Amino acid sequence: MTSTISTRAHAIETGALIEADTSIAAEAEFPAPVAMTGAVYQDCIAVHPEAYAYGIRLDEAEREWDLLSAASRAINDAAGTSRPPRLAFSLYRVPGDGSTRKPQRVTLVAEVSPGDNGERVITIMRPSEHLPQ
């Protein structure tokens, strides 16, 4: 029986995790390197061609700013408390698939964990997701 040990770098390489734009993360005052699961990226950041067919104009950089600033605010608001390593937060986003123009609320979690070299890293994911193993 073989076991596979996955690193954060491998998860990023395979697309299981998507690194946040470092300049947007810095502007949002993120306290550590941040990545998001592919599912979160597809749901909250990516803009699919169908959206443009419906006349919806969305910008991926603005959507990433919205996501990262909401997560950063939640982390900063919880600073100094005995918060768990998984912190839930919500934001409103227009689905990037063009299904509607109405913003919809989505709840996500930001999880603090050790990175590949023991450094503090943050992963944003759906509440039902867990860090890639």
Side-chain angles (χ1 to χ4, degrees):
M1 177 180 227
T2 60
S3 65
T4 302
I5 299 174
S6 181
T7 63
R8 185 175 180 88
H10 183 258
I12 290 168
E13 182 180 304
T14 61
L17 290 179
I18 311 295
E19 285 183 290
D21 181 298
T22 55
S23 63
I24 295 172
E27 189 177 340
E29 299 179 356
F30 244 86
V34 62
M36 64 202 79
T37 62
V40 168
Y41 183 86
Q42 286 301 315
D43 183 44
C44 297
I45 307 274
V47 179
H48 306 277
E50 295 84 11
Y52 297 113
Y54 292 101
I56 300 172
R57 298 288 175 241
L58 300 172
D59 178 274
E60 289 186 359
E62 290 175 2
R63 290 167 63 84
E64 188 167 357
W65 163 255
D66 291 344
L67 172 69
L68 294 179
S69 63
S72 179
R73 272 192 313 276
I75 291 167
N76 289 333
D77 288 349
T81 66
S82 58
R83 70 177 188 256
R86 280 177 71 94
L87 179 66
F89 67 97
S90 296
L91 72 145
Y92 285 87
R93 55 89 181 100
V94 173
D97 62 4
S99 60
T100 181
R101 291 177 179 221
K102 293 183 85 169
Q104 298 175 346
R105 184 177 176 170
V106 62
T107 298
L108 303 170
V109 294
E111 183 167 333
V112 177
S113 64
D116 294 344
N117 299 308
E119 74 282 16
R120 184 172 75 151
V121 296
I122 298 170
T123 306
I124 299 172
M125 63 193 98
R126 292 179 174 165
S128 61
E129 292 181 302
H130 297 282
L131 293 174
Q133 296 291 326

